[in-house]
Amino acid sequence: MPRSWPRPPDRKDPEFRKVEDIMNFVVHVFVFTSSNSGLWFFKILWRADWSWPMNFTLGWLGILLIHALYIFKLADYSVKSNG
């Protein structure tokens, strides 16, 4: 991946769309890991008797996996012709 985009960014450019979607996914992964690690850290630190963190983590992980499935398997980044 280039450090800077070699041409003006355009969402109609399939290569740019793919890179942008992957970068959005990476941000999603970072937010997931930081939020969940903080949640579990405080649950363990406070010895809290919370039952919801497992459901929260598994639910968000499911959403994250669906996001990955879409980007890496289902999304069509081919050039579309007009007509």
Side-chain angles (χ1 to χ4, degrees):
M1 186 175 343
R3 291 181 65 140
S4 62
W5 198 249
R7 53 193 174 272
D10 181 13
R11 187 74 181 149
K12 295 175 187 168
D13 179 4
E15 190 177 352
F16 177 76
R17 274 195 345 253
K18 184 173 184 174
V19 169
E20 185 181 38
D21 286 351
I22 290 172
M23 290 177 69
N24 286 337
F25 176 71
V26 169
V27 169
H28 190 178
V29 169
F30 283 138
V31 171
F32 169 79
T33 56
S34 62
S35 299
N36 279 285
S37 66
L39 171 68
W40 285 94
F41 173 77
F42 286 111
K43 179 186 181 338
I44 293 167
L45 179 69
W46 294 333
R47 294 183 176 95
D49 189 24
W50 299 338
S51 60
W52 58 270
M54 182 60 74
N55 293 334
F56 180 78
T57 300
L58 291 176
W60 196 347
L61 181 62
I63 292 169
L64 192 65
L65 292 174
I66 291 169
H67 190 175
L69 175 69
Y70 174 75
I71 290 173
F72 297 113
K73 294 293 181 188
L74 300 177
D76 181 14
Y77 295 109
S78 62
V79 178
K80 300 199 184 336
S81 62
N82 295 332

Coordinates of all heavy atoms in Angstrom, one line a residue:
M1 N 0.8 -1.2 0.0 CA 0.0 0.0 0.0 C 0.9 1.2 0.0 O 1.8 1.3 0.8 CB -0.9 0.0 1.2 CG -1.9 1.1 1.2 SD -3.1 1.1 2.6 CE -3.1 -0.5 3.3
P2 N 0.6 2.2 -0.9 CA 1.5 3.4 -1.0 C 1.2 4.2 0.3 O 0.2 4.2 0.9 CB 1.0 4.1 -2.2 CG -0.4 3.6 -2.5 CD -0.4 2.2 -1.9
R3 N 2.3 5.0 0.6 CA 2.2 5.9 1.8 C 1.2 7.1 1.5 O 0.6 7.6 2.3 CB 3.5 6.5 2.1 CG 4.4 5.4 2.7 CD 5.7 6.0 3.1 NE 5.5 6.9 4.1 CZ 6.3 7.1 5.2 NH1 7.4 6.3 5.3 NH2 6.0 7.9 6.1
S4 N 1.1 7.5 0.2 CA 0.2 8.5 -0.2 C -0.5 8.0 -1.5 O 0.1 7.3 -2.3 CB 0.9 9.8 -0.4 OG 1.8 9.7 -1.4
W5 N -1.7 8.5 -1.7 CA -2.4 8.1 -2.9 C -1.8 8.8 -4.1 O -1.7 10.0 -4.1 CB -3.9 8.4 -2.7 CG -4.7 7.6 -3.7 CD1 -5.4 8.1 -4.7 CD2 -4.9 6.2 -3.7 NE1 -6.0 7.1 -5.4 CE2 -5.7 5.9 -4.8 CE3 -4.4 5.1 -2.9 CZ2 -6.1 4.6 -5.1 CZ3 -4.8 3.8 -3.3 CH2 -5.6 3.6 -4.3
P6 N -1.5 8.1 -5.2 CA -0.8 8.7 -6.3 C -1.7 9.6 -7.2 O -1.2 10.3 -8.1 CB -0.3 7.5 -7.1 CG -1.2 6.4 -6.8 CD -1.7 6.6 -5.4
R7 N -3.0 9.6 -7.0 CA -3.9 10.5 -7.8 C -5.0 11.0 -6.9 O -5.1 10.6 -5.7 CB -4.5 9.6 -8.9 CG -5.1 8.4 -8.5 CD -5.4 7.5 -9.7 NE -5.9 6.2 -9.3 CZ -5.1 5.1 -9.0 NH1 -3.8 5.2 -9.1 NH2 -5.6 4.0 -8.6
P8 N -5.8 11.9 -7.4 CA -6.8 12.5 -6.5 C -7.8 11.4 -6.0 O -8.2 10.5 -6.9 CB -7.6 13.5 -7.4 CG -6.6 13.8 -8.5 CD -5.7 12.6 -8.6
P9 N -8.1 11.3 -4.8 CA -9.0 10.3 -4.3 C -10.4 10.4 -4.9 O -10.9 11.5 -4.9 CB -9.0 10.5 -2.8 CG -8.4 11.8 -2.5 CD -7.7 12.2 -3.7
D10 N -10.9 9.3 -5.3 CA -12.2 9.3 -5.9 C -12.9 8.0 -5.5 O -12.4 6.9 -5.8 CB -12.1 9.4 -7.4 CG -13.5 9.4 -8.1 OD1 -14.5 9.6 -7.5 OD2 -13.5 9.3 -9.4
R11 N -14.1 8.0 -4.9 CA -14.8 6.8 -4.5 C -15.2 6.0 -5.7 O -15.5 4.8 -5.5 CB -16.0 7.3 -3.6 CG -16.7 6.1 -3.0 CD -15.9 5.6 -1.8 NE -16.7 4.5 -1.2 CZ -16.2 3.4 -0.6 NH1 -14.9 3.3 -0.5 NH2 -17.0 2.5 -0.2
K12 N -15.2 6.5 -6.9 CA -15.6 5.7 -8.1 C -14.4 4.9 -8.5 O -14.6 4.0 -9.3 CB -16.0 6.7 -9.2 CG -17.3 7.4 -8.8 CD -17.6 8.4 -9.9 CE -18.8 9.3 -9.5 NZ -19.0 10.4 -10.3
D13 N -13.2 5.2 -8.1 CA -12.0 4.4 -8.4 C -12.0 3.1 -7.6 O -12.0 3.1 -6.4 CB -10.8 5.2 -8.1 CG -9.5 4.5 -8.4 OD1 -9.5 3.4 -8.9 OD2 -8.4 5.0 -8.0
P14 N -12.1 1.9 -8.3 CA -12.2 0.6 -7.5 C -11.0 0.4 -6.6 O -11.2 -0.1 -5.5 CB -12.3 -0.4 -8.6 CG -12.5 0.3 -9.9 CD -12.1 1.7 -9.7
E15 N -9.8 0.7 -7.1 CA -8.7 0.5 -6.2 C -8.7 1.4 -5.0 O -8.4 0.9 -3.9 CB -7.4 0.8 -7.0 CG -6.1 0.4 -6.3 CD -4.9 0.7 -7.2 OE1 -5.0 1.0 -8.4 OE2 -3.8 0.5 -6.7
F16 N -9.1 2.6 -5.1 CA -9.3 3.5 -3.9 C -10.4 3.0 -3.0 O -10.2 3.0 -1.8 CB -9.6 4.9 -4.4 CG -9.8 5.9 -3.3 CD1 -8.7 6.4 -2.5 CD2 -11.1 6.2 -2.9 CE1 -8.9 7.2 -1.5 CE2 -11.3 7.1 -1.8 CZ -10.2 7.6 -1.1
R17 N -11.5 2.5 -3.5 CA -12.6 2.0 -2.7 C -12.1 0.8 -1.9 O -12.4 0.7 -0.7 CB -13.7 1.5 -3.6 CG -14.7 2.6 -3.9 CD -16.0 2.1 -4.5 NE -16.1 0.7 -4.9 CZ -16.1 0.3 -6.2 NH1 -16.1 1.2 -7.1 NH2 -16.2 -0.9 -6.4
K18 N -11.3 -0.1 -2.5 CA -10.8 -1.3 -1.8 C -9.9 -0.9 -0.6 O -10.0 -1.3 0.5 CB -10.1 -2.2 -2.7 CG -9.7 -3.5 -2.1 CD -9.1 -4.5 -3.0 CE -8.8 -5.8 -2.3 NZ -8.4 -6.8 -3.2
V19 N -9.0 0.0 -0.9 CA -8.0 0.5 0.1 C -8.8 1.2 1.2 O -8.5 1.0 2.4 CB -6.9 1.4 -0.5 CG1 -6.1 2.1 0.6 CG2 -6.0 0.6 -1.4
E20 N -9.7 2.0 0.9 CA -10.5 2.8 1.9 C -11.3 1.8 2.7 O -11.4 1.9 4.0 CB -11.5 3.8 1.2 CG -12.2 4.6 2.2 CD -13.1 5.6 1.5 OE1 -13.8 5.2 0.5 OE2 -13.2 6.7 2.0
D21 N -11.9 0.8 2.1 CA -12.7 -0.2 2.9 C -11.8 -1.0 3.9 O -12.2 -1.3 5.0 CB -13.4 -1.1 2.0 CG -14.6 -0.5 1.3 OD1 -15.0 0.6 1.7 OD2 -15.2 -1.1 0.4
I22 N -10.6 -1.4 3.4 CA -9.7 -2.1 4.3 C -9.2 -1.2 5.4 O -9.1 -1.7 6.6 CB -8.5 -2.6 3.4 CG1 -9.0 -3.7 2.5 CG2 -7.4 -3.1 4.4 CD1 -7.9 -4.2 1.5
M23 N -9.0 0.0 5.1 CA -8.5 1.0 6.2 C -9.7 1.2 7.2 O -9.4 1.2 8.4 CB -8.1 2.3 5.6 CG -6.8 2.1 4.9 SD -6.2 3.6 4.1 CE -5.8 4.6 5.5
N24 N -10.9 1.2 6.8 CA -12.0 1.3 7.7 C -12.2 0.1 8.5 O -12.5 0.1 9.7 CB -13.4 1.6 6.9 CG -13.5 3.0 6.4 OD1 -12.9 3.9 6.9 ND2 -14.3 3.1 5.4
F25 N -11.9 -1.1 7.9 CA -11.9 -2.3 8.7 C -10.8 -2.3 9.8 O -11.1 -2.8 10.9 CB -11.8 -3.5 7.7 CG -11.7 -4.8 8.5 CD1 -12.8 -5.4 9.1 CD2 -10.5 -5.5 8.5 CE1 -12.7 -6.6 9.7 CE2 -10.4 -6.7 9.2 CZ -11.5 -7.3 9.8
V26 N -9.7 -1.9 9.4 CA -8.5 -1.8 10.4 C -8.9 -0.9 11.6 O -8.7 -1.3 12.7 CB -7.2 -1.3 9.7 CG1 -6.2 -1.0 10.7 CG2 -6.8 -2.4 8.7
V27 N -9.6 0.2 11.3 CA -10.0 1.1 12.4 C -11.0 0.3 13.2 O -11.0 0.4 14.5 CB -10.6 2.4 11.8 CG1 -11.3 3.2 12.9 CG2 -9.5 3.2 11.2
H28 N -11.9 -0.4 12.6 CA -12.9 -1.2 13.3 C -12.2 -2.2 14.3 O -12.6 -2.4 15.4 CB -13.8 -1.9 12.3 CG -15.0 -2.5 12.9 ND1 -16.0 -3.2 12.1 CD2 -15.5 -2.7 14.2 CE1 -16.9 -3.7 12.9 NE2 -16.7 -3.4 14.2
V29 N -11.2 -2.9 13.8 CA -10.5 -3.8 14.6 C -9.8 -3.1 15.8 O -9.8 -3.7 16.9 CB -9.4 -4.6 13.7 CG1 -8.5 -5.4 14.6 CG2 -10.1 -5.5 12.7
F30 N -9.2 -2.0 15.5 CA -8.5 -1.3 16.6 C -9.5 -0.8 17.7 O -9.2 -1.0 18.9 CB -7.7 -0.1 16.1 CG -6.4 -0.4 15.4 CD1 -6.1 0.2 14.3 CD2 -5.6 -1.3 16.0 CE1 -4.8 -0.1 13.7 CE2 -4.4 -1.6 15.4 CZ -4.0 -1.0 14.2
V31 N -10.7 -0.3 17.3 CA -11.7 0.1 18.3 C -12.2 -1.1 19.0 O -12.3 -1.1 20.3 CB -12.8 0.9 17.6 CG1 -14.0 1.1 18.5 CG2 -12.3 2.2 17.0
F32 N -12.4 -2.2 18.3 CA -12.8 -3.4 19.0 C -11.8 -3.9 20.0 O -12.2 -4.2 21.2 CB -13.1 -4.5 17.9 CG -13.3 -5.9 18.5 CD1 -14.5 -6.3 19.1 CD2 -12.3 -6.8 18.6 CE1 -14.7 -7.5 19.6 CE2 -12.5 -8.1 19.1 CZ -13.7 -8.4 19.6
T33 N -10.6 -4.0 19.6 CA -9.6 -4.5 20.6 C -9.3 -3.6 21.8 O -9.2 -4.1 22.9 CB -8.2 -4.8 19.9 OG1 -7.8 -3.7 19.2 CG2 -8.4 -6.0 18.9
S34 N -9.3 -2.3 21.5 CA -9.0 -1.4 22.6 C -10.2 -1.3 23.6 O -10.1 -1.4 24.8 CB -8.7 0.0 22.1 OG -9.7 0.5 21.4
S35 N -11.4 -1.3 23.0 CA -12.6 -1.3 23.9 C -12.8 -2.5 24.7 O -13.0 -2.5 25.9 CB -13.9 -1.0 23.0 OG -13.8 0.2 22.3
N36 N -12.6 -3.7 24.1 CA -12.8 -4.9 24.8 C -11.7 -5.2 25.7 O -12.0 -5.8 26.8 CB -13.0 -6.1 23.8 CG -14.4 -6.1 23.3 OD1 -15.3 -6.5 24.0 ND2 -14.6 -5.6 22.0
S37 N -10.5 -4.8 25.4 CA -9.4 -5.1 26.4 C -9.6 -4.2 27.6 O -9.4 -4.7 28.8 CB -8.0 -4.8 25.8 OG -7.9 -3.5 25.4
G38 N -10.1 -3.0 27.4 CA -10.4 -2.1 28.6 C -11.5 -2.7 29.4 O -11.5 -2.7 30.6
L39 N -12.6 -3.1 28.7 CA -13.7 -3.7 29.4 C -13.3 -4.9 30.3 O -13.6 -4.9 31.5 CB -14.8 -4.1 28.4 CG -15.9 -4.9 28.9 CD1 -16.8 -4.1 29.8 CD2 -16.7 -5.5 27.8
W40 N -12.5 -5.8 29.7 CA -12.1 -7.0 30.5 C -11.1 -6.7 31.5 O -11.1 -7.3 32.6 CB -11.6 -8.1 29.5 CG -12.8 -8.7 28.8 CD1 -13.3 -8.4 27.6 CD2 -13.6 -9.8 29.3 NE1 -14.3 -9.1 27.3 CE2 -14.6 -10.0 28.3 CE3 -13.6 -10.5 30.4 CZ2 -15.5 -11.0 28.4 CZ3 -14.6 -11.5 30.6 CH2 -15.5 -11.7 29.6
F41 N -10.3 -5.7 31.3 CA -9.3 -5.2 32.3 C -10.0 -4.8 33.5 O -9.7 -5.2 34.7 CB -8.4 -4.1 31.7 CG -7.5 -3.5 32.8 CD1 -6.4 -4.1 33.2 CD2 -7.8 -2.3 33.3 CE1 -5.5 -3.6 34.1 CE2 -7.0 -1.7 34.3 CZ -5.8 -2.4 34.7
F42 N -11.0 -3.9 33.4 CA -11.7 -3.4 34.6 C -12.6 -4.5 35.2 O -12.8 -4.5 36.4 CB -12.5 -2.2 34.2 CG -11.7 -1.0 34.0 CD1 -11.5 -0.4 32.8 CD2 -11.0 -0.4 35.1 CE1 -10.7 0.7 32.6 CE2 -10.2 0.7 35.0 CZ -10.0 1.3 33.7
K43 N -13.1 -5.4 34.4 CA -13.9 -6.5 35.0 C -13.0 -7.3 35.9 O -13.4 -7.7 37.0 CB -14.5 -7.4 33.9 CG -15.3 -8.5 34.4 CD -15.8 -9.4 33.3 CE -16.6 -10.6 33.6 NZ -16.6 -11.2 34.9
I44 N -11.8 -7.6 35.4 CA -10.9 -8.4 36.2 C -10.4 -7.6 37.4 O -10.3 -8.1 38.5 CB -9.8 -9.0 35.3 CG1 -10.4 -10.0 34.4 CG2 -8.7 -9.6 36.2 CD1 -9.4 -10.4 33.3
L45 N -10.0 -6.4 37.2 CA -9.4 -5.5 38.2 C -10.4 -5.3 39.4 O -10.0 -5.4 40.5 CB -9.0 -4.2 37.6 CG -8.4 -3.1 38.6 CD1 -7.0 -3.6 39.0 CD2 -8.4 -1.8 37.9
W46 N -11.6 -5.1 39.1 CA -12.6 -4.8 40.1 C -13.3 -6.1 40.6 O -14.2 -6.1 41.5 CB -13.7 -3.9 39.6 CG -13.2 -2.5 39.3 CD1 -12.2 -1.9 39.9 CD2 -13.8 -1.6 38.4 NE1 -12.0 -0.6 39.3 CE2 -13.0 -0.4 38.4 CE3 -14.9 -1.6 37.5 CZ2 -13.3 0.7 37.6 CZ3 -15.1 -0.5 36.7 CH2 -14.3 0.6 36.8
R47 N -12.9 -7.2 40.0 CA -13.5 -8.5 40.3 C -15.0 -8.4 40.3 O -15.8 -8.9 41.2 CB -13.0 -9.0 41.7 CG -11.6 -9.3 41.8 CD -11.2 -9.9 43.1 NE -9.8 -10.3 43.2 CZ -8.8 -9.5 43.6 NH1 -9.1 -8.3 44.0 NH2 -7.6 -9.9 43.6
A48 N -15.5 -7.7 39.2 CA -16.9 -7.5 39.1 C -17.6 -8.8 38.7 O -17.1 -9.6 37.9 CB -17.1 -6.4 38.0
D49 N -18.8 -8.9 39.1 CA -19.7 -10.0 38.8 C -20.6 -9.7 37.6 O -21.8 -9.7 37.7 CB -20.5 -10.4 40.0 CG -21.2 -11.8 39.8 OD1 -20.7 -12.5 39.0 OD2 -22.2 -12.0 40.5
W50 N -20.0 -9.2 36.6 CA -20.8 -8.8 35.4 C -21.0 -10.0 34.5 O -20.0 -10.8 34.3 CB -20.0 -7.8 34.6 CG -19.7 -6.5 35.3 CD1 -20.4 -6.0 36.3 CD2 -18.7 -5.5 34.9 NE1 -19.9 -4.8 36.7 CE2 -18.8 -4.5 35.8 CE3 -17.8 -5.5 34.0 CZ2 -18.0 -3.4 35.8 CZ3 -16.9 -4.4 33.9 CH2 -17.1 -3.3 34.8
S51 N -22.1 -10.2 34.0 CA -22.4 -11.3 33.1 C -22.4 -10.9 31.6 O -22.4 -11.7 30.7 CB -23.7 -12.0 33.4 OG -24.8 -11.0 33.3
W52 N -22.5 -9.6 31.4 CA -22.7 -9.1 30.0 C -21.5 -8.9 29.2 O -21.6 -8.9 27.9 CB -23.5 -7.8 30.0 CG -22.8 -6.7 30.8 CD1 -23.0 -6.4 32.1 CD2 -21.9 -5.7 30.3 NE1 -22.2 -5.4 32.5 CE2 -21.5 -4.9 31.4 CE3 -21.3 -5.5 29.1 CZ2 -20.6 -3.9 31.3 CZ3 -20.4 -4.5 29.0 CH2 -20.0 -3.7 30.1
P53 N -20.3 -8.8 29.7 CA -19.1 -8.6 28.8 C -18.9 -9.7 27.8 O -18.5 -9.4 26.7 CB -17.9 -8.5 29.8 CG -18.5 -8.0 31.0 CD -19.8 -8.7 31.1
M54 N -19.2 -11.0 28.1 CA -19.0 -12.1 27.2 C -19.9 -11.9 26.0 O -19.5 -12.0 24.8 CB -19.2 -13.4 27.8 CG -18.9 -14.6 26.9 SD -17.3 -14.7 26.2 CE -16.4 -15.2 27.6
N55 N -21.2 -11.6 26.3 CA -22.2 -11.4 25.2 C -21.8 -10.2 24.3 O -21.9 -10.2 23.1 CB -23.6 -11.2 25.7 CG -24.1 -12.5 26.4 OD1 -23.6 -13.6 26.0 ND2 -25.0 -12.3 27.3
F56 N -21.4 -9.1 25.0 CA -21.0 -7.9 24.3 C -19.8 -8.2 23.3 O -19.8 -7.8 22.2 CB -20.6 -6.8 25.3 CG -20.1 -5.5 24.7 CD1 -21.0 -4.6 24.2 CD2 -18.8 -5.2 24.7 CE1 -20.6 -3.4 23.7 CE2 -18.4 -4.0 24.1 CZ -19.3 -3.1 23.6
T57 N -18.8 -8.9 23.9 CA -17.6 -9.2 23.1 C -17.9 -10.1 21.9 O -17.5 -9.9 20.8 CB -16.5 -9.8 24.0 OG1 -16.1 -8.9 25.0 CG2 -15.2 -10.2 23.2
L58 N -18.7 -11.2 22.2 CA -19.0 -12.1 21.1 C -19.9 -11.5 20.1 O -19.8 -11.7 18.9 CB -19.7 -13.4 21.7 CG -18.8 -14.2 22.5 CD1 -19.6 -15.4 23.2 CD2 -17.6 -14.8 21.7
G59 N -20.8 -10.6 20.5 CA -21.7 -9.9 19.5 C -20.9 -9.0 18.6 O -21.1 -9.0 17.4
W60 N -20.0 -8.2 19.2 CA -19.2 -7.3 18.4 C -18.2 -8.1 17.5 O -18.0 -7.7 16.4 CB -18.4 -6.4 19.4 CG -17.8 -5.2 18.7 CD1 -17.7 -4.9 17.4 CD2 -17.3 -4.0 19.3 NE1 -17.1 -3.7 17.1 CE2 -16.9 -3.1 18.4 CE3 -17.2 -3.7 20.7 CZ2 -16.3 -1.9 18.6 CZ3 -16.6 -2.4 21.0 CH2 -16.2 -1.6 20.0
L61 N -17.7 -9.2 18.0 CA -16.8 -10.0 17.2 C -17.6 -10.6 16.0 O -17.0 -10.6 14.9 CB -16.2 -11.2 18.0 CG -15.3 -12.1 17.3 CD1 -14.0 -11.4 16.8 CD2 -14.9 -13.3 18.3
G62 N -18.8 -11.0 16.2 CA -19.6 -11.4 15.1 C -19.8 -10.3 14.0 O -19.7 -10.6 12.8
I63 N -20.1 -9.1 14.5 CA -20.2 -8.0 13.5 C -18.9 -7.7 12.8 O -18.8 -7.5 11.6 CB -20.7 -6.7 14.3 CG1 -22.1 -6.9 14.8 CG2 -20.5 -5.5 13.4 CD1 -22.6 -5.8 15.8
L64 N -17.8 -7.9 13.5 CA -16.4 -7.7 13.0 C -16.2 -8.7 11.9 O -15.6 -8.5 10.8 CB -15.4 -7.7 14.1 CG -14.0 -7.3 13.7 CD1 -14.0 -5.8 13.3 CD2 -13.1 -7.6 14.9
L65 N -16.6 -10.0 12.2 CA -16.4 -11.1 11.2 C -17.2 -10.9 9.9 O -16.8 -11.1 8.8 CB -16.6 -12.4 11.8 CG -15.6 -12.8 12.9 CD1 -16.1 -14.1 13.6 CD2 -14.2 -13.0 12.3
I66 N -18.5 -10.4 10.1 CA -19.3 -10.1 9.0 C -18.7 -8.9 8.1 O -18.7 -9.0 6.9 CB -20.7 -9.7 9.4 CG1 -21.4 -10.9 10.0 CG2 -21.6 -9.1 8.3 CD1 -22.7 -10.6 10.7
H67 N -18.2 -7.9 8.8 CA -17.5 -6.8 8.1 C -16.3 -7.4 7.3 O -16.1 -7.0 6.1 CB -17.0 -5.8 9.2 CG -16.5 -4.5 8.6 ND1 -16.1 -3.5 9.4 CD2 -16.3 -4.1 7.4 CE1 -15.7 -2.5 8.7 NE2 -15.8 -2.8 7.4
A68 N -15.5 -8.3 7.9 CA -14.4 -8.9 7.2 C -14.8 -9.7 6.0 O -14.3 -9.6 4.9 CB -13.5 -9.7 8.1
L69 N -15.9 -10.5 6.2 CA -16.4 -11.3 5.1 C -16.9 -10.4 3.9 O -16.6 -10.8 2.8 CB -17.6 -12.1 5.6 CG -18.4 -13.0 4.6 CD1 -17.5 -14.1 4.1 CD2 -19.7 -13.5 5.2
Y70 N -17.5 -9.3 4.2 CA -18.0 -8.5 3.2 C -16.8 -7.9 2.4 O -16.7 -8.0 1.2 CB -18.8 -7.3 3.7 CG -19.2 -6.3 2.6 CD1 -20.1 -6.6 1.6 CD2 -18.5 -5.1 2.5 CE1 -20.4 -5.7 0.6 CE2 -18.7 -4.2 1.5 CZ -19.7 -4.5 0.6 OH -19.9 -3.7 -0.5
I71 N -15.8 -7.4 3.1 CA -14.7 -6.7 2.4 C -13.8 -7.7 1.7 O -13.4 -7.4 0.5 CB -13.8 -5.9 3.5 CG1 -14.6 -4.7 4.0 CG2 -12.5 -5.5 2.9 CD1 -13.9 -4.0 5.1
F72 N -13.5 -8.8 2.3 CA -12.5 -9.7 1.6 C -13.1 -10.8 0.7 O -12.4 -11.4 -0.1 CB -11.7 -10.4 2.7 CG -10.8 -9.4 3.5 CD1 -11.1 -9.1 4.8 CD2 -9.8 -8.6 2.9 CE1 -10.4 -8.2 5.6 CE2 -9.1 -7.7 3.6 CZ -9.4 -7.5 4.9
K73 N -14.4 -11.0 0.8 CA -15.0 -12.0 -0.1 C -16.2 -11.5 -0.9 O -16.3 -11.9 -2.1 CB -15.5 -13.2 0.8 CG -14.5 -14.0 1.5 CD -13.6 -14.7 0.5 CE -12.5 -15.5 1.2 NZ -11.6 -16.1 0.3
L74 N -17.0 -10.7 -0.4 CA -18.3 -10.3 -1.1 C -18.2 -9.0 -1.9 O -18.9 -8.9 -2.9 CB -19.4 -10.2 -0.1 CG -19.7 -11.5 0.7 CD1 -20.8 -11.2 1.7 CD2 -20.1 -12.6 -0.2
A75 N -17.4 -8.1 -1.5 CA -17.4 -6.8 -2.2 C -16.9 -6.9 -3.6 O -15.9 -7.6 -3.8 CB -16.6 -5.8 -1.4
D76 N -17.5 -6.2 -4.5 CA -17.1 -6.2 -5.9 C -16.4 -4.9 -6.2 O -17.0 -3.9 -6.3 CB -18.3 -6.4 -6.8 CG -18.0 -6.4 -8.3 OD1 -16.8 -6.6 -8.6 OD2 -18.9 -6.3 -9.1
Y77 N -15.1 -5.0 -6.4 CA -14.3 -3.8 -6.6 C -13.9 -3.7 -8.1 O -13.0 -2.9 -8.5 CB -13.0 -3.8 -5.8 CG -13.3 -3.7 -4.3 CD1 -13.1 -4.8 -3.5 CD2 -13.8 -2.5 -3.7 CE1 -13.4 -4.7 -2.1 CE2 -14.1 -2.5 -2.4 CZ -13.9 -3.6 -1.6 OH -14.1 -3.5 -0.2
S78 N -14.6 -4.4 -9.0 CA -14.3 -4.3 -10.4 C -14.8 -3.0 -11.0 O -15.7 -2.4 -10.4 CB -14.9 -5.5 -11.1 OG -16.3 -5.5 -11.0
V79 N -14.3 -2.7 -12.1 CA -14.7 -1.4 -12.8 C -16.0 -1.7 -13.4 O -16.2 -2.7 -14.1 CB -13.6 -1.0 -13.8 CG1 -14.1 0.2 -14.6 CG2 -12.3 -0.8 -13.2
K80 N -17.0 -0.8 -13.2 CA -18.3 -1.0 -13.7 C -18.4 -0.1 -15.0 O -18.1 1.0 -15.0 CB -19.3 -0.6 -12.7 CG -19.3 -1.4 -11.5 CD -20.6 -1.3 -10.7 CE -20.7 -2.0 -9.4 NZ -19.8 -3.1 -9.1
S81 N -18.9 -0.7 -16.1 CA -19.1 0.0 -17.3 C -20.4 0.7 -17.3 O -21.4 0.3 -16.7 CB -19.0 -0.9 -18.5 OG -20.0 -1.8 -18.5
N82 N -20.5 1.8 -18.0 CA -21.7 2.6 -18.0 C -22.5 2.2 -19.3 O -22.6 2.9 -20.2 CB -21.4 4.1 -18.1 CG -20.8 4.6 -16.8 OD1 -21.0 4.0 -15.8 ND2 -20.0 5.7 -16.9
G83 N -23.2 1.1 -19.2 CA -24.1 0.9 -20.3 C -24.2 -0.4 -20.8 O -24.8 -0.8 -21.6

